[in-house]
Amino acid sequence: MANVFSNAFSSLGEWVNERAPGLMPVYRKHMTEYYAPKNFNLWYYFGSLALLVLVNQIVTGIFLTMNYDPSASGAFDSVQYIMRDVEWGWLIRYMHTTGASLFFVVVYLHMFRGLMYGSYQKPRELVWLLGMLIFLVLMAEAFMGYVLPWGNMSFWGAKVIVSLFGTIPVIGKDLVEWIMGDYLPADATLNRFFALHVIALPLVLLLLVVLHLAALHEVGSNNPDGVDVKHGPKGNRWDPTKPADGIPFHPYYTVKDLVGVGLFLAIAAFIIFFQPTFGGWFLEHDNSVPANNLVTPAQIKPVWYFTAFYAIVRMIPSALGTAVWGVLGMFGAIVLLFLMPWIDGGKVKSIRYRGTGYKVALGLFVLAFFGLVLIGTDSTAELIPMLFGAGVDVTSLENLFGRVMVLIYFGFFVFLWLYTHLGWEKTKPVPERVTTHD
């Protein structure tokens, strides 16, 4: 039986190769002849998982659009129709909403791995920049998708977030009206957000993913040691001309990635079937009621994956008295990530061999990010009374904590530039080859 399937696949491959001979070289270059370092660890699962979630979002999104009505009068009801009357509609929607949050989970972990192992350093600057562009487009895609259900938080979230552009001098007010197509989020807003969410931005996202992978395969993957695999005389034992300490991506890492995919799908399935709202983090309770411009939610806040940047907006204006600084701080927090290849002047890539200062700074940076998430989701309003008692001034403590988190976040980039460009970093010796070779 195995021989029958093998012969069938072989015949199919020959048939395709005769009619499209250019496909096989592309397949070999990016799969069987793409040599990846053989010391990948669990942090390298998240790139393939991000691709998996992207496919899930596209497929489930296509089915959702079949029954969605992009109008202010029909959007909310059409979502309820999908959830209650469409065959398996509830499952498709929960796969989409859960996938959105899990997309950001794996992307944030993928970015953190890049920070740990210096995957943004030469010669992978372009890979990093393309990855950050993917992150930026993904944020726009997620925001517009969040508006489409047209629940009350969707409406007010759109109003607040789009209104941030109003802080831009001279053109701010006109820019806000141009984005929304009206004075308030309405039919025009939903129509343009729907078009961007289901057509324009996915096309841009797919293009950037292809460019990201192509750029990666041109320079080769980084690894936990931050040491490039060797070529030539020190080649691997199978073929001296092939990279040393490298193995073909297919079948070795494609099979290995299936383990991560299996575990990830099990976690995703548990959330979808048993806790699809995830306590209001994945699907907010205020979005289960229709949009109403006369009823403001008690707390207007974005979905959790935007809250760290939204918290920066909240903290800076209260300190300096004008919203424009908060908006600049929010965008600056993202722009600084783009500039990491030039901010970090370190001679060593991997955190394994970097100085103690970098390890401490990266740890504080992660803590600051989570601290900002807590502030952005208003979780600190509940935690502070639990920690300090009911009579404490919650607002003052929250502002103090938030501003410290903002200082740590931006301080990471300032410290990193000084630490590496002024020669303060004392690194460990880096091995000549990756440490898990035969």
Side-chain angles (χ1 to χ4, degrees):
M1 183 63 70
N3 289 333
V4 172
F5 281 112
S6 177
N7 292 334
F9 279 117
S10 178
S11 299
L12 178 62
E14 292 176 1
W15 185 87
V16 172
N17 196 40
E18 288 177 1
R19 288 152 183 80
L23 291 179
M24 190 55 68
V26 174
Y27 169 78
R28 288 198 298 264
K29 178 180 179 181
H30 295 286
M31 296 295 288
T32 57
E33 293 182 3
Y34 173 65
Y35 277 73
K38 61 191 299 183
N39 62 336
F40 281 175
N41 55 23
L42 63 87
W43 287 105
Y44 287 80
Y45 280 123
F46 298 110
S48 59
L49 291 179
L51 191 60
L52 172 69
V53 182
L54 176 60
V55 173
N56 172 77
Q57 295 304 96
I58 291 173
V59 173
T60 55
I62 290 171
F63 283 99
L64 290 175
T65 59
M66 294 178 184
N67 294 283
Y68 176 75
D69 178 8
S71 66
S73 60
F76 184 83
D77 289 339
S78 68
V79 173
Q80 300 310 306
Y81 172 73
I82 291 170
M83 291 292 292
R84 300 171 190 274
D85 296 325
V86 175
E87 192 90 14
W88 299 105
W90 63 270
L91 178 60
I92 298 297
R93 191 198 175 204
Y94 282 153
M95 287 176 66
H96 198 74
T97 56
T98 301
S101 284
L102 292 181
F103 208 160
F104 277 92
V105 169
V106 297
V107 165
Y108 279 134
L109 290 171
H110 190 55
M111 292 167 64
F112 177 66
R113 188 262 294 168
L115 294 175
M116 278 203 307
Y117 297 139
S119 299
Y120 50 82
Q121 292 190 16
K122 186 179 179 181
R124 298 179 181 88
E125 300 96 331
L126 183 59
V127 179
W128 176 262
L129 291 176
L130 289 168
M132 285 305 304
L133 284 174
I134 292 173
F135 175 62
L136 199 61
V137 173
L138 184 61
M139 293 179 76
E141 173 78 351
F143 168 66
M144 292 178 185
Y146 178 70
V147 175
L148 295 183
W150 209 235
N152 208 31
M153 189 62 80
S154 293
F155 174 88
W156 287 99
K159 187 176 187 304
V160 170
I161 298 301
V162 176
S163 295
L164 293 177
F165 291 94
T167 61
I168 300 175
V170 183
I171 65 170
K173 182 181 177 181
D174 293 332
L175 182 61
V176 169
E177 293 179 8
W178 179 75
I179 293 173
M180 290 194 297
D182 208 328
Y183 298 107
L184 289 173
D187 276 314
T189 314
L190 268 178
N191 272 283
R192 59 188 57 186
F193 278 20
F194 179 72
L196 291 170
H197 181 74
V198 304
I199 300 174
L201 291 178
L203 290 175
V204 174
L205 201 55
L206 287 171
L207 174 62
L208 288 173
V209 168
V210 171
L211 293 175
H212 183 64
L213 292 173
L216 174 68
H217 287 198
E218 285 297 322
V219 295
S221 299
N222 191 27
N223 61 81
D225 284 318
V227 179
D228 292 333
V229 294
K230 302 296 188 295
H231 291 257
K234 293 184 178 180
N236 63 41
R237 64 185 182 185
W238 296 285
D239 186 348
T241 64
K242 300 298 183 183
D245 309 322
I247 54 177
F249 186 82
H250 178 74
Y252 298 102
Y253 280 121
T254 50
V255 172
K256 183 179 179 180
D257 283 344
L258 290 177
V259 177
V261 167
L263 179 60
F264 178 80
L265 290 178
I267 295 171
F270 179 84
I271 296 172
I272 290 168
F273 288 109
F274 295 101
Q275 197 60 249
T277 66
F278 212 73
W281 285 72
F282 287 8
L283 275 176
E284 294 175 310
H285 306 305
D286 283 317
N287 242 15
S288 61
V289 295
N292 189 335
N293 63 353
L294 299 178
V295 179
T296 309
Q299 297 170 334
I300 300 176
K301 56 185 185 296
V303 197
W304 71 267
Y305 38 79
F306 294 141
T307 50
F309 303 105
Y310 179 66
I312 293 174
V313 180
R314 284 182 53 190
M315 291 299 108
I316 295 181
S318 60
L320 301 179
T322 173
V324 68
W325 294 106
V327 175
L328 288 175
M330 179 184 70
F331 286 111
I334 300 172
V335 170
L336 285 172
L337 290 170
F338 275 86
L339 300 178
M340 274 299 292
W342 298 276
I343 292 174
D344 185 2
K347 306 302 180 185
V348 172
K349 295 177 183 176
S350 174
I351 195 172
R352 292 181 177 181
Y353 310 107
R354 299 204 65 161
T356 304
Y358 179 81
K359 298 176 182 178
V360 173
L362 184 59
L364 290 174
F365 177 74
V366 173
L367 289 176
F369 182 84
F370 281 112
L372 291 170
V373 168
L374 290 176
I375 294 168
T377 56
D378 281 320
S379 300
T380 47
E382 300 175 1
L383 291 173
I384 289 174
M386 292 172 56
L387 295 174
F388 299 99
V392 71
D393 186 350
V394 175
T395 302
S396 297
L397 281 178
E398 185 180 56
N399 286 340
L400 175 62
F401 176 71
R403 290 164 191 169
V404 170
M405 294 299 101
V406 171
L407 286 174
I408 293 175
Y409 183 96
F410 288 101
F412 168 75
F413 300 99
V414 176
F415 170 79
L416 185 59
W417 191 91
L418 295 173
Y419 186 62
T420 56
H421 284 82
L422 298 183
W424 296 349
E425 184 174 26
K426 306 299 179 185
T427 61
K428 297 178 181 178
V430 179
E432 183 182 355
R433 296 176 61 178
V434 297
T435 55
T436 55
H437 63 276
D438 290 335

